């Protein structure tokens, strides 16, 4: 029978010529990187939609309502309106 | 000018090496570190991790290595310690492929060696690899493992006996 230590020596000779295995990048066992990526993508998508969606133009009725509200405010709180002319 | 390995292997004689030279030398020791770790662990995946960890430690200790008299011995000690630690965490040997029955005789023998090695203690695997793979003297093995020469001799003998016994049981 072959001496076990001969087999061990042969194994060590193999080790002496071995190359590290080519491996794919290791996948992290932590869920946080994937979770953060998902949340980041979600936030970015929401912002993009909010920025790129065209806003509806105010109608004539909206403008008239806004002018009326300003006039009511001037009447009710003249001191504030007077103190802050840039807001009028 | 001498080759890098020779310059790094030579005693410093009080002259520090440059950081670039030391870093280049560390990077050149990746393959030898992997092979030593493989001889101890008998698992390529773990050996690669160990070699990586050892080289990272070496880069962190670059100032020590610049002036170290024997950087090769320093790095070998780190590789062995990392490999023993990885071995203690539990390595069950390389998974045996499904086609092992059809594998050549040499491949079957190699798989059997890996299985037997995986059942040895980390200390026995380390002393076998340092003696039979690295072919170090008892004195060098003792310095690497931090044990007296007498302990190296008895541990090596015990490791060989354990290997033979497990081989016959397998």
């Amino acid at each position: 029978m072959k001496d076990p230590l001969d087999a061990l020596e042969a194994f060590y000779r193999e080790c002496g010529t071995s190359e590290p295995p080519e491996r794919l990048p290791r996948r992290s066992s932590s869920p946080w990187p994937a979770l953060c990526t998902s949340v980041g993508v979600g936030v970015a998508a929401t912002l993009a939609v909010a920025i790129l969606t065209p806003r509806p133009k105010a109608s004539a009725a909206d403008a008239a309502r806004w002018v009326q509200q300003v006039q009511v405010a001037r009447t009710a709180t003249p001191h504030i309106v007077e103190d802050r002319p840039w807001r009028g | 000018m001498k080759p890098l390995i020779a310059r790094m292997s030579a005693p410093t004689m009080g002259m520090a090496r440059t950081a670039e030279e030391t870093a280049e030398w560390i990077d050149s020791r990746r393959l030898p570190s992997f092979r030593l770790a493989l001889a101890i662990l008998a698992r390529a995946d773990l050996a690669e991790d160990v070699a990586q960890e050892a080289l990272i430690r070496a880069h962190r200790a670059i100032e020590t290595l610049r002036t170290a008299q024997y950087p090769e011995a320093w790095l070998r000690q780190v590789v062995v310690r990392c490999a023993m630690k990885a071995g203690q965490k539990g390595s069950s040997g390389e998974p045996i492929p499904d086609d092992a029955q059809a594998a050549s005789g040499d491949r079957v023998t190699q798989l059997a060696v890996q299985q037997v090695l995986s059942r040895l203690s980390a200390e026995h695997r380390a002393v076998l690899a340092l003696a039979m793979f690295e072919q170090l003297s008892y004195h060098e093995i003792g310095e690497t493992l931090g044990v007296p020469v007498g302990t190296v001799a008895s541990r090596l003998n015990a490791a060989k006996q354990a290997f033979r016994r497990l081989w016959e049981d397998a």
Side-chain angles (χ1 to χ4, degrees):
Chain A
M1 183 190 165
K2 194 177 180 181
D3 185 352
L5 292 182
D6 287 344
L8 183 58
E9 277 186 357
F11 171 72
Y12 285 147
R13 278 196 297 276
E14 283 285 320
C15 290
T17 57
S18 293
E19 297 285 333
E22 293 294 329
R23 290 197 300 188
L24 293 171
R26 182 177 293 180
R27 183 178 293 175
S28 171
S29 58
S30 168
W32 288 107
L35 190 61
C36 291
T37 304
S38 303
V39 171
V41 168
V43 169
T46 306
L47 284 173
V49 168
I51 291 167
L52 297 175
T53 303
R55 298 176 183 207
K57 289 180 180 174
S59 63
D62 289 334
R65 197 179 305 120
W66 180 76
V67 169
Q68 189 183 4
Q69 283 173 353
V70 170
Q71 286 171 344
V72 168
R74 276 184 174 156
T75 308
T77 58
H79 57 291
I80 294 176
V81 175
E82 290 304 318
D83 287 345
R84 297 169 176 77
W86 60 88
R87 298 190 67 181
Chain B
M1 197 174 185
K2 284 183 180 178
L4 179 66
I5 300 292
R7 274 181 282 140
M8 289 297 291
S9 301
T12 54
M13 306 297 285
M15 294 283 287
R17 307 165 185 94
T18 66
E20 292 77 17
E21 194 175 49
T22 310
E24 191 185 342
W25 176 81
I26 291 169
D27 293 338
S28 75
R29 307 315 292 159
R30 179 171 178 258
L31 196 54
S33 300
F34 164 76
R35 288 171 176 167
L36 174 57
L38 180 63
I40 295 171
L41 292 164
R43 277 186 56 171
D45 55 342
L46 290 179
E48 197 182 5
D49 288 347
V50 163
Q52 187 77 10
E53 187 181 341
L55 294 196
I56 288 170
R57 287 190 188 190
H59 275 288
R60 283 183 185 152
I62 199 161
E63 286 305 314
T64 306
L65 278 172
R66 281 182 63 195
T67 53
Q69 197 168 3
Y70 299 107
E72 184 78 48
W74 186 95
L75 183 59
R76 185 191 300 123
Q77 193 173 43
V78 172
V79 172
V80 170
R81 283 181 184 171
C82 291
M84 288 175 72
K85 195 175 168 187
Q88 282 166 349
K89 282 180 185 169
S91 64
S92 57
E94 201 93 41
I96 296 180
D98 294 337
D99 61 347
Q101 296 285 339
S104 67
D106 286 348
R107 179 70 181 135
V108 170
T109 305
Q110 190 183 3
L111 289 169
V113 170
Q114 286 174 290
Q115 288 294 313
V116 172
L117 277 177
S118 70
R119 293 168 64 192
L120 284 180
S121 69
E123 287 180 345
H124 282 174
R125 276 188 265 173
V127 77
L128 282 172
L130 290 172
M132 296 175 69
F133 176 71
E134 290 280 294
Q135 301 195 327
L136 299 181
S137 67
Y138 282 11
H139 178 74
E140 289 171 317
I141 296 172
E143 286 197 333
T144 304
L145 297 176
V147 296
V149 171
T151 305
V152 172
S154 60
R155 190 178 289 178
L156 181 59
N157 192 39
K160 286 179 177 176
Q161 283 183 358
F163 186 86
R164 281 201 174 96
R165 191 173 57 249
L166 289 170
W167 182 272
E168 285 158 11
D169 291 348

